Amino acid sequence: MSLSTSAKSAGRGAEPAPRNSPLRRKRNRERLRTLGFLSPWLVGFSVFFGYPLIATVYFSFMHYNQIKEPTFVGLRNWRYVLEQMPLFGPALWNTLWLVVVMVALRVVFGLGIGLLITKIKTGVGLFRTAFYIPYLAPPVAATVAFVFLLNPSTGPVNEMLSWVGLDGPGWFNDPNWSKPSLVMLSLWGIGDLMVIFMASLLDVPKEQYEAAELDGAGAWTKFRFVTWPAITPIVLFAVVTGVVQTMQYYTQALVAGKLASGVSIGPGTVIQPGYPDHSTLTVPQLVYSMGFQNFNTGAACVLSLVLFAIAMAVTLLLMRKSVGLIPAED
Amino acid sequence: MTTTTLTRPDTAAPSRPSGTDAARHRRKRVLNWIAVHSVAVALALFFVLPFVFVLLTSVMSDDQAMSGDLWPDSWNWSNYSAVFNTPGFLDWWRNSLMYALLGTVFTVCSSVPVAYALAKFRFRGRRTAMILVISTMMLPPQVIIIPMYLVWAQQFHLSGSLWPLIIPMAFGDAYSIFLLRQFLLTIPQEYIESAKVDGCGEFRTLLKIVVPMAKPGIAAVALFQFFYCWNDYFGPQIYAAQNPGAWTLSYGLESFKSAHAVNWNLTMAATLLVMAPVIIVFFFAQKAFVEGVTLTGVKG
């Protein structure tokens, strides 16, 4: 980018422009104009992103309960979180479990529905709306609804399973089923991925399918050699954004755990998150409960930075695999 | 990827009379149609049934909602007025609406010029700026929340309100900047050049030429931001938890269940009332939604 700018200015005049020349004044004006247009973001980036990121690092070395002045404790918070904190292991495990299972299933399922919808000949608009609308449901509302639907004793789902003689699982109340239940909830809201995959599938040139058919390719061969290469960048995009979203997985897990536990609690009540048996506790929830319920600011900031490091590492790793992800210049 | 290497194994097979061939072909097409549509219907049921069950439960009597019944004995539409009469519920509506409307206006006004500069100006560091925008988009909000909370609570004494969530939106939102920039890239440079030749300043060009052309993109950003605010749970939990007068619908909904410990019928009615604005707006603005989603994913 900077290369093209300098190339352009070099082309304009071989000898350096004299001070106060119209050219230099023009360039200064352009610089000011750019700064002016960018200023909301420049301010926002430094105040609401740059500063807190640095402050998080600072607090991670401090003992601070948000009342007394912070005191320096070196690596003690880090050692506490990484070696002793009883809930750190389960929270990290749950978060990574969700990242792997949820993202994989979402991409496969989203792609499947995208493929299906491109094959539908009748009533395509109706089907598209049906698949898309759950994505819009507010996460809290969707979670409340799913906790009700999957209620082991009174929920419609287990009721319907009993009609066919099946004994439904405990869903959100069973530590083995709570995470799969969250995955189901997330698959219900697959609408955004469906639209993205649908658009990219429709972009695959028709002639390539025709050519493959002439060569006698079956459905799988066509998918493998025509569709897949064309949509790989989109799949990668879906994986990266999926990983990032799941790293911050919070609302659904928290609300599901709280509601399923059946404890009569309102927002702001201190409870041990992750019901049942910490099976729905994620790292973001741990950040919240450390920082805003236990007022252990140092430990909360260490957890934030662990989350930051993992999110960054995964994103960079996946981004390096694809040029298409960094939007093209010009 | 070329497909020329694929060979057809049965090219040498004797050809059948063309009549049966056509019939077989038609039968295959019909079977295919049936297969595709049955799968689609089954899946569509999976997506729609939750709404149906929630709606049916929302009109049941208190007792019936506690049973496993699927169909209401009597249709108690008064459950909905009971929800509206719950103390606080109307405040939550007002707060949600204020957060979502102000947040949307602030975001659009601050993000459009930034996205325009990133899409159309040539300057040193443009690529770096773009990468920084994307990385802020990528980072979990929990990473920076603690210092942010401390600033708003201790320096500005604004905890217990939604202002700490609304004010930052006047300084650009990474996701919106990214989406708008993707959209603005598709506007031909010639329009902008010719506006300048006609004597338009940069700001007037943006307002008179670019904004009208970018309306679909701006509409998509506005919708997404509106729903982001409407759906936000984490933000209100951080800043508004201590003050029920500042709760939003998304946040208050969870407490609704505890206020009426086991009244699933009222809880489901409230759930539908939280979803309703989103669904209604969707039906009016389907195109903008779909374009917006596509834009983030496809065009680079």
Side-chain angles (χ1 to χ4, degrees), chain A residues 50-113:
Chain A
Y51 159 73
L53 200 56
I54 294 165
T56 303
V57 177
Y58 166 81
F59 281 125
S60 76
F61 298 111
M62 297 285 153
H63 175 75
Y64 184 38
N65 60 8
Q66 298 176 22
I67 300 166
K68 288 188 197 140
E69 285 295 298
T71 49
F72 182 76
V73 292
L75 287 172
R76 209 182 298 162
N77 292 321
W78 286 87
R79 230 175 276 135
Y80 169 67
V81 168
L82 299 178
E83 288 170 8
Q84 292 155 21
M85 193 175 182
L87 292 180
F88 178 66
L92 190 63
W93 162 250
N94 291 335
T95 301
L96 296 179
W97 190 100
L98 288 168
V99 164
V100 172
V101 177
M102 216 180 251
V103 175
L105 286 180
R106 274 177 65 88
V107 168
V108 171
F109 193 53
L111 186 55
I113 291 195

Side-chain angles (χ1 to χ4, degrees), chain A residues 33 154 215 244 250 258 267, chain B residues 3 66 138 202 237 251 254:
Chain A
R33 175 201 70 177
T154 61
D215 288 340
V244 170
Y250 179 81
K258 270 190 181 183
Chain B
T3 49
M66 280 300 293
M138 291 286 185
E202 204 63 69
Q237 183 189 28
Y251 189 57
E254 188 214 341

Side-chain angles (χ1 to χ4, degrees), chain B residues 56-84:
Chain B
L56 290 175
T57 306
S58 75
V59 293
M60 286 181 184
S61 64
D62 291 3
D63 293 339
Q64 205 196 357
M66 280 300 293
S67 68
D69 289 0
L70 300 186
W71 196 258
D73 288 334
S74 57
W75 296 71
N76 300 292
W77 293 104
S78 59
N79 288 347
Y80 283 87
S81 51
V83 169
F84 270 107

Side-chain angles (χ1 to χ4, degrees), chain A residues 133-145 185 188 251-252, chain B residues 51 227-233 249-251 253 270-279:
Chain A
I133 274 212
Y135 161 67
L136 295 171
V140 176
T143 310
V144 173
L185 170 60
W188 187 60
T251 307
Q252 292 92 332
Chain B
F51 288 112
F227 291 132
Y228 169 80
C229 298
W230 189 267
N231 294 343
D232 190 15
Y233 175 93
L249 269 184
S250 274
Y251 189 57
L253 178 66
T271 302
L272 279 180
L273 286 173
V274 177
M275 290 185 182
V278 180
I279 312 263

Side-chain angles (χ1 to χ4, degrees), chain A residues 1-2 4-5 8 33-34 37-38 40-41 43-45 47-49 51-53 55-56 59 64 66 109 113 116 119-122 127 129-142 144-149 151 154 156 159-160 163 184 187-188 190 192 195-196 199 203 211-212 215-217 221 225-226 229 234 237 240 244 247-248 250-251 254-255 258-259 262 264-268 284 287-288 291-292 297 300-301 304 307-308 311-312 315 319 326-330, chain B residues 1 3-4 6-8 33 36-37 39-41 43-44 46-51 53-54 57 65-68 70 110 113-114 116-118 121-127 129-152 154 168 170-172 177-178 181-182 185 196 202-203 206 224 230-231 233-234 237-238 241 247 250-251 253-255 257-258 261 264 267-268 271 274-275 278-279 282-283 286 289-290 293-294 296-298 300:
Chain A
M1 187 32 246
S2 50
S4 63
T5 324
K8 209 173 127 200
R33 175 201 70 177
T34 306
F37 275 74
L38 288 179
W41 176 72
V43 173
F45 180 79
V47 176
F48 301 117
F49 186 79
Y51 159 73
L53 200 56
T56 303
F59 281 125
Y64 184 38
Q66 298 176 22
F109 193 53
I113 291 195
L116 181 75
K119 297 256 184 315
I120 290 178
K121 306 253 162 45
T122 324
F127 284 111
T129 310
F131 296 145
Y132 188 72
I133 274 212
Y135 161 67
L136 295 171
V140 176
V144 173
F146 261 63
V147 172
F148 161 72
L149 295 168
N151 187 305
T154 61
E159 173 76 16
M160 292 203 324
W163 295 348
M184 273 175 61
L187 290 181
W188 187 60
I190 199 86
D192 56 336
V195 168
I196 289 174
D203 270 353
D215 288 340
T221 320
F225 292 102
V226 180
I234 306 299
F237 173 88
V240 173
V244 170
M247 291 296 301
Q248 31 185 292
Y250 179 81
T251 307
L254 179 80
V255 173
K258 270 190 181 183
L259 282 186
S264 240
I265 29 94
V287 172
Y288 177 82
F292 297 95
T297 309
C301 285
S304 296
L307 199 64
F308 175 82
M312 264 330 238
T315 327
M319 289 244 266
I326 304 255
E329 294 294 323
D330 307 310
Chain B
M1 180 62 60
T3 49
T4 43
L6 301 167
T7 52
R8 188 177 182 175
W33 188 96
V36 166
H37 283 76
V39 176
V41 168
L43 271 170
F46 169 71
F47 281 88
V48 172
L49 272 182
F51 288 112
F53 286 136
V54 168
T57 306
M66 280 300 293
S67 68
L70 300 186
S110 58
V114 179
Y116 177 59
L118 287 173
F121 293 180
R122 325 186 111 263
F123 57 91
R124 197 178 295 232
R126 187 168 73 153
R127 194 181 156 77
M130 207 49 222
I131 290 173
L132 287 178
V133 167
I134 293 175
S135 31
T136 54
M137 203 171 86
M138 291 286 185
L139 276 183
Q142 290 87 3
V143 169
I144 52 168
I145 191 62
I146 287 165
M148 254 2 278
Y149 172 80
L150 293 175
V151 168
W152 287 112
Q154 297 179 347
F171 296 94
I177 293 172
F178 174 69
R181 180 224 181 230
Q182 301 295 89
L185 283 179
K196 278 190 205 145
E202 204 63 69
F203 200 69
L206 173 63
F224 282 130
W230 189 267
N231 294 343
Y233 175 93
F234 184 65
Q237 183 189 28
I238 295 293
W247 288 358
S250 274
Y251 189 57
L253 178 66
E254 188 214 341
S255 83
K257 199 229 155 204
S258 59
W264 278 118
T267 308
M268 289 303 110
T271 302
V274 177
M275 290 185 182
V278 180
I279 312 263
F282 169 74
F283 279 105
Q286 285 199 40
F289 269 111
V290 172
V293 171
T294 320
T296 47
V298 181

